[in-house]
Each structure stands twice: as structure tokens, then as C-alpha cells.
Amino acid sequence: MSVSFKTRCLGPAYRGRMSPRFDAIGLVVSDMAASVAFYRRLGFGFGEGAEREPHVEAELPGGLRLLLDTEDTVRSFHPGWRRPSGSGRASLALRCETPGEVDAVYEEVVGAGHHGELKPWDAFWGQRYAVVHDPDGNGVDLFAPLA
């Protein structure tokens, strides 16, 4: 009996023994109100009053979710948890419709007082590309294909 290429390469998930699927991206935030305001500015739909909650979710196109939890919430179920140090702990990438939208979103976010890590530029890989930081220093890449 021969084992198919898909079965060999994809393993147990393909064979039906497991069925996990990518569902959400979770970030631990130090200031829920600041983080909700930042991500709302980028178009994430958090519900009314989210800035006062210890855990919030925003559904993304395609069914994925962005989850934000306060440090205290994480410590409530993981008492030994400590905030990782250094930058670049997590990064999100947001596709914009046009190169001009990359510039406009970058200017809006930086104009609202958030850190602009990398100003918009025409990257050699064929994208208009920029990076801003959320209130906890997580990178948010903004990109759009160049014409």
C-alpha cells in the first residue's frame, strides 16, 4: 500500500486525526485604551466600551480575529508570566489598497502621536512599505503592491 504525497507531507492533520486551524492573533497590551484606539485607527472593529475591558476581540476579513489582553488578564491564568523584553516581539502586516494609502495611513498614525519606525518607501521586492509601532512597541507593517 502506497502512502500519498499529501499524507506524508501534511501529516496527522491531513489524515484527519487533528483539525487545528489558524484562528486568531493575540497580543498582550499594557494599556487597553491606547491599544484599542491605535487599532481602531487602522480599521479594526472593536465594540463600544472595548477600551475598558480586560480582553477584547475584533473579527478580521476572512474570519481571523485580533485578540487583545491586558497584562493582568494574562497573569490571572498564568501567574508566572512576565512581559518579554526588547522590540520586535510581534508584528502584524496590513495590506493597503494602493501605495498612496500606505502613505496616508502612515501619516495619520504618526500624526496621532504613534511611533513611525520606517517611513514609506518603494521596496525592492515590489511594494510600497512602511512600519509603525503600536503602543507596546509591536510592529505594524503597512504595504501595497507597486503598479
Side-chain angles (χ1 to χ4, degrees), residues 58-100:
E59 188 165 332
L60 309 174
L64 291 176
R65 296 172 297 140
L66 177 64
L67 316 176
L68 303 180
D69 287 287
T70 63
E71 293 177 1
D72 288 341
T73 300
V74 174
R75 284 190 190 98
S76 73
F77 62 83
H78 186 337
W81 181 85
R82 286 188 302 251
R83 172 172 284 288
S85 62
S87 63
R89 296 179 308 272
S91 179
L92 304 178
L94 304 180
R95 182 181 180 137
C96 297
E97 290 296 318
T98 65

Side-chain angles (χ1 to χ4, degrees), residues 42 51 107:
L42 292 171
E51 55 281 335
E107 290 303 322

Side-chain angles (χ1 to χ4, degrees), residues 39-52:
Y39 286 104
R40 276 184 177 151
R41 185 173 296 283
L42 292 171
F44 290 77
F46 291 102
E48 185 70 30
E51 55 281 335
R52 294 182 298 279

Side-chain angles (χ1 to χ4, degrees), residues 27-45:
L27 298 175
V28 179
V29 303
S30 56
D31 182 335
M32 184 64 79
S35 295
V36 166
F38 175 85
Y39 286 104
R40 276 184 177 151
R41 185 173 296 283
L42 292 171
F44 290 77

Side-chain angles (χ1 to χ4, degrees), residues 117-130:
E117 177 66 16
L118 180 63
K119 290 182 179 183
W121 67 293
D122 291 342
F124 63 87
W125 57 82
Q127 294 175 336
R128 185 73 173 166
Y129 189 85

